[in-house]
Amino acid sequence: MSNLVTDYATVARNVDGGEHDEHDFIIVGGGTAGCVLAARLSERPDIRVLVIEAGQSGRTLFESRAPAGFAELFRGPHDYSFYTVPQQHAANKKKFWPRARLLGGCMAHYGAPSDYDEFASIVGDDSWSWKNFETYFRKFENYTPDPRFPHVDASLRGSHGPVTVGYHAHIWEASPLFIEASINAGVPFNPDFTTSNGTLGTNKIMTYIDGRHERVSAEAAYLTPDVLARPNLKVVTLARVTRIIFDSSSGTPRAVAVEFANEKQHAPRFRVCHPSMLHSGGAVHTPQILMLSGVGPASILNKHNIPVLVDSPGVGANLLDHPMFALRLKDKLGISFNFTKPYDLTSTFKFVKALTQYKIFGTGPFSSNIGEAVAFFRTDDQKLFPPAEFNNDIEDSTSGPNAPDIELIIVPAAVDDSNLSLETGLHAYSVVTTILRPTSVGSIQLDSADPWDHPIIDPNYLATQHDLDVMIRGVRGAYKIAHTAPLTNVTDVGSTHPLLDHHFDRLSDKELGEIIRNRVETLYHPFGTCTMGKAEDPAAVLDTQLRVRGALGLRVCDASVYPKLVSGHTTAPVLAAAEKLADIIKAEYPATV
């Protein structure tokens, strides 16, 4: 878009040629939180805002706008294409970790209300409890009632926010069958997962979608043409921040400038000064940039000869993620989305038809977000897992009795390593099992002092027996639902295909556990690597106003700030945190015009 800045000299100076000081706030990273903060702060004409983003706009990318197109971004030019270190407890495999290189960035799910009460207790600040924090979810929401889903109580949802929330135009034939089978297996129906009534149950899930049936990213919602036209907002793209500059002359280090360079050319380097900085690089890049700048564990900084400005052991620690396992089953009706990678004349026709249908009408398979229907439940649910068949000695890691520890998502394809194609021409579907409250904890560390090197990512999947036990129980639940009517109308229960999982009912927990360790993947929800917390907690990088402890003029706002994972999807908590921080900052800076 023409409003986006790629001529860096208009907002900064070459490192060797002086410095600009034209901005009240610099936002490092134009992802989910960065877009919210940019839009909300620049609502005040007396606050000058500069956003520096390594990626570009996603508005012109079909793969970003079409709900079913997200997987096509993986391993491409708009993806960092990270890989983890070999996972010691997951067959020693490196796991693919997609991270978007785009402005503004899923399912509209917020976790359980008790998650936020637990956060408030951990950090010692009741403003983060559900009763107080819920207002920020409603602030960003713009829900329009859908006659197909009359059970949703619209009075409990926000209706004037920038983020349109609703249901996709397309409903895959097996999605309602999955919901019915889940109910028949013992999972209750839930009319709306995102209210104070809680998240346990099964239903079609809402997502961020507009009236044209296009995916709504934070960029699309917040950085509208009118917002980008504000004279007090500038958004720099294709520019990676390489370090934060601190002034320690008065004792406590103060963030005074950032250096950045072109994402592809790595040079020349530019520097821009500011009185306040907001770091919104995400759970991977935020700790990386902080450590490159001298804020982090002294042992790691010393290893890479980086001067230690703030010894903060929590930077990069506490890496949390939602591990997932795809149960893959034969589709006997031939209704799967196996045509998304055409392999013959028939699949090519289906692909072209679906593409045309979406581009003209905004409907059809490409208007699906792939994961349309879900089930949230607890592994100690005795209706789903009768005591006569299952023991109940799994540790409870949830935030409360009404919070789930498993999510199932039905997917109209056999998922393999973040691809929607297991075998050419195979009609199969998946039930993705996700551990919502894992107890395994990993880390983000520097590989070198070079900002262009990828960090060391170690999510430490399945390191605890708890996580393996929960995943095994969740997969057992997924298998049960797949073999419960009416989903048996789709599941080919007699299939013996060697790449599919119809034999799982004959496996012991030990045998199933080995398969899970071999195939576990990420659900793309890294969290917690710069967590807020109490002053006496040495692992707390931030206070509850999201200020970096031990430094001045620097805040963090992204998925890294939460001390534990939400038992759901992670976009909404980040949107809400950014809305909250924008209000905090505006209150601290009285309007001058």
Side-chain angles (χ1 to χ4, degrees), residues 367-527:
S367 68
S368 168
N369 70 329
I370 304 299
E372 297 177 351
V374 302
F376 292 96
F377 57 78
R378 295 175 60 89
T379 51
D380 61 6
D381 184 334
Q382 295 190 14
K383 189 172 183 181
L384 186 59
F385 303 107
E389 301 176 39
F390 299 90
N391 62 48
N392 286 303
D393 57 0
I394 297 177
E395 173 194 354
D396 184 3
S397 65
T398 66
S399 59
N402 293 317
D405 54 359
I406 284 290
E407 177 186 12
L408 302 184
I409 310 170
I410 189 167
V411 175
V415 179
D416 179 40
D417 190 22
S418 299
N419 288 311
L420 297 180
S421 178
L422 179 64
E423 179 184 86
T424 300
L426 176 65
H427 273 295
Y429 76 96
S430 301
V431 182
V432 170
T433 302
T434 304
I435 308 174
L436 295 176
R437 298 284 288 191
T439 56
S440 300
V441 179
S443 65
I444 301 289
Q445 297 189 18
L446 295 180
D447 193 34
S448 76
D450 186 341
W452 304 100
D453 286 345
H454 286 180
I456 298 172
I457 300 171
D458 183 8
N460 203 22
Y461 290 135
L462 303 178
T464 64
Q465 188 62 42
H466 165 275
D467 290 359
L468 185 61
D469 290 343
V470 169
M471 185 70 90
I472 290 170
R473 182 68 57 88
V475 173
R476 298 284 191 206
Y479 189 94
K480 179 177 182 178
I481 290 169
H483 290 77
T484 298
L487 193 51
T488 46
N489 294 339
V490 178
T491 307
D492 185 353
V493 297
S495 174
T496 58
H497 194 291
L499 295 180
L500 302 181
D501 302 327
H502 293 273
H503 62 296
F504 275 14
D505 62 330
R506 301 190 297 273
L507 298 180
S508 67
D509 282 357
K510 182 178 180 181
E511 292 168 329
L512 181 54
E514 289 305 310
I515 295 174
I516 288 170
R517 289 192 188 278
N518 188 56
R519 284 169 37 188
V520 67
E521 299 288 346
T522 177
L523 199 66
Y524 329 125
H525 293 166
F527 230 52

Side-chain angles (χ1 to χ4, degrees), residues 337-384:
F337 283 15
N338 73 345
F339 59 86
T340 57
K341 296 184 184 297
Y343 55 89
D344 61 11
L345 188 61
T346 300
S347 61
T348 301
F349 173 77
K350 288 182 177 180
F351 178 86
V352 173
K353 178 184 176 183
L355 183 62
T356 303
Q357 186 177 3
Y358 181 75
K359 287 193 170 183
I360 295 177
F361 303 108
T363 59
F366 286 159
S367 68
S368 168
N369 70 329
I370 304 299
E372 297 177 351
V374 302
F376 292 96
F377 57 78
R378 295 175 60 89
T379 51
D380 61 6
D381 184 334
Q382 295 190 14
K383 189 172 183 181
L384 186 59

Side-chain angles (χ1 to χ4, degrees), residues 86-154:
Q87 291 300 282
Q88 179 182 355
H89 306 285
N92 211 37
K93 288 185 175 182
K94 295 181 179 180
K95 300 295 181 177
F96 174 56
W97 256 43
R99 291 283 91 195
R101 191 187 265 116
L102 292 169
L103 279 167
C106 164
M107 294 180 181
H109 183 266
Y110 310 160
S114 57
D115 293 345
Y116 299 92
D117 296 337
E118 183 182 44
F119 298 157
S121 176
I122 292 172
V123 305
D125 185 342
D126 198 50
S127 70
W128 291 91
S129 67
W130 176 258
K131 67 180 180 182
N132 295 314
F133 193 52
E134 182 191 7
T135 185
Y136 290 107
F137 293 111
R138 309 311 168 204
K139 184 176 182 179
F140 74 67
E141 285 181 337
N142 184 354
Y143 174 72
T144 301
D146 188 323
R148 297 175 300 167
F149 302 93
H151 296 96
V152 178
D153 185 349

Side-chain angles (χ1 to χ4, degrees), residues 59-83:
R59 291 179 183 272
T60 60
L61 296 175
F62 176 79
E63 300 90 343
S64 175
R65 293 183 293 107
F70 66 92
E72 296 303 311
L73 294 170
F74 293 165
R75 301 180 176 88
H78 307 294
D79 178 16
Y80 283 98
S81 298
F82 289 139
Y83 279 84

Side-chain angles (χ1 to χ4, degrees), residues 264-296:
K264 294 181 179 179
Q265 300 170 352
H266 299 188
R269 290 181 298 145
F270 288 81
R271 182 178 295 180
V272 60
C273 293
H274 60 91
S276 294
M277 187 172 74
L278 309 175
H279 203 327
S280 298
V284 175
H285 285 115
T286 286
Q288 181 189 24
I289 295 173
L290 287 178
M291 287 186 280
L292 289 169
S293 308
V295 179

